[in-house]
Amino acid sequence: FINLIERITYQKWHVNIVITIQDSFNLQTIVLVDSGAETNCIQEELIPTKFFEKTEQKLSTANGENLRAKFKISDVHICNEGIYIKQSFILVKDNLGIGIILGQPFLEVIKPFKVTNEGITTKLIQQKIRFTFNKNSITKEVNLLKTLSIFKEHSINLIRTKEKYLSNKKFEQHLPASQIKQIKEKINPLRNNIINNFCSDLSDAFWHRKRLMMSLPYE
């Protein structure tokens, strides 16, 4: 399948928002909207300690490493185009790479939504709003030669395994020598054809098939 892909387009879901805590603290910042995050997170140092609430909730990264989180904030509103969306956040002491992550709880509230190259569009309280991405999408060409080279190595190894099986003495005991010779004579041209054409570094086996373009929300 990957051999049919000509290029990929990915978009980091970074948007500009304003968050308000208890109507007394405002923070205008860039956040990452992450559909893989099970909860909303904020870097602890961004929020005044007077808003901290104790929590027993545990967090971990995608690779299983535990994050240091002892506090939460529950009275938070995300403001965009005059609409306020109430959310709660876990305060994380470790470096998140970006100050605020809006995860699945946020996406559940704005569903159904539509994602384009410009941003995330939804409709709340009969009003259409858009969370605009602050950077353009990026398109990259897929390195087909590298992909085909890996596939070539795999195919050649598979052919060699089959050849080894055919030359096995136990196999030869069940067939006369003349028949084994005929089988090998049929296999060798096929083997050479696969290696020289199908497994070539400049393979044209799929040259005239349709190529596809796909968009990804991440790099």
Side-chain angles (χ1 to χ4, degrees):
F1 169 74
I2 196 169
N3 290 336
L4 303 179
I5 301 174
E6 187 175 41
R7 64 179 63 92
I8 60 172
T9 300
Y10 64 88
Q11 174 73 65
K12 292 184 177 180
W13 291 7
H14 288 167
V15 299
N16 297 301
I17 63 165
V18 175
I19 67 168
T20 301
I21 304 177
Q22 297 180 8
D23 297 325
S24 61
F25 175 79
N26 294 328
L27 176 64
Q28 184 173 357
T29 186
I30 298 172
V31 305
L32 170 65
V33 181
D34 185 358
S35 60
E38 294 184 357
T39 186
N40 302 320
C41 303
I42 294 184
Q43 199 80 49
E44 187 177 288
E45 62 191 30
L46 297 177
I47 307 300
T49 56
K50 65 179 181 179
F51 299 115
F52 288 14
E53 305 170 32
K54 285 282 188 179
T55 183
E56 299 296 328
Q57 188 169 348
K58 304 297 182 183
L59 294 179
S60 62
T61 62
N63 58 11
E65 295 181 5
N66 292 327
L67 293 172
R68 293 176 293 171
K70 295 182 179 180
F71 304 98
K72 66 178 180 179
I73 46 175
S74 54
D75 189 7
V76 184
H77 287 85
I78 298 168
C79 179
N80 185 44
E81 298 183 3
I83 299 294
Y84 289 81
I85 304 172
K86 187 173 182 180
Q87 293 284 281
S88 61
F89 288 82
I90 301 297
L91 296 168
V92 178
K93 198 171 187 64
D94 302 274
N95 184 14
L96 294 174
I98 188 167
I100 301 176
I101 296 176
L102 294 176
Q104 294 174 12
F106 170 75
L107 293 175
E108 285 294 324
V109 172
I110 67 171
K111 283 171 53 177
F113 56 86
K114 180 180 180 181
V115 180
T116 65
N117 289 337
E118 288 72 37
I120 304 170
T121 304
T122 187
K123 192 173 185 180
L124 296 173
I125 319 176
Q126 302 303 313
Q127 180 178 333
K128 185 177 180 179
I129 62 172
R130 183 170 72 184
F131 296 87
T132 304
F133 296 139
N134 66 351
K135 291 184 179 180
N136 295 328
S137 59
I138 300 173
T139 299
K140 286 186 177 181
E141 299 292 329
V142 175
N143 191 343
L144 291 178
L145 293 181
K146 181 179 179 180
T147 303
L148 290 172
S149 178
I150 295 173
F151 185 76
K152 171 184 176 180
E153 183 179 355
H154 172 75
S155 299
I156 291 175
N157 289 336
L158 182 61
I159 292 171
R160 287 173 178 168
T161 301
K162 295 296 184 182
E163 286 181 331
K164 185 177 180 181
Y165 174 78
L166 290 175
S167 63
N168 188 287
K169 291 183 178 180
K170 292 183 179 179
F171 180 78
E172 293 178 353
Q173 290 175 358
H174 293 82
L175 294 174
S178 59
Q179 189 172 351
I180 293 175
K181 183 179 179 180
Q182 290 177 356
I183 292 174
K184 289 185 177 181
E185 286 176 350
K186 292 181 179 180
I187 289 176
N188 286 335
L190 177 61
R191 171 186 181 277
N192 294 332
N193 185 46
I194 291 175
I195 292 176
N196 294 331
N197 296 307
F198 188 70
C199 298
S200 170
D201 286 336
L202 296 174
S203 172
D204 60 357
F206 301 106
W207 204 259
H208 301 293
R209 289 193 177 186
K210 291 182 179 179
R211 290 183 175 180
L212 307 176
M213 291 184 293
M214 60 188 299
S215 297
L216 301 175
Y218 48 82
E219 181 175 3

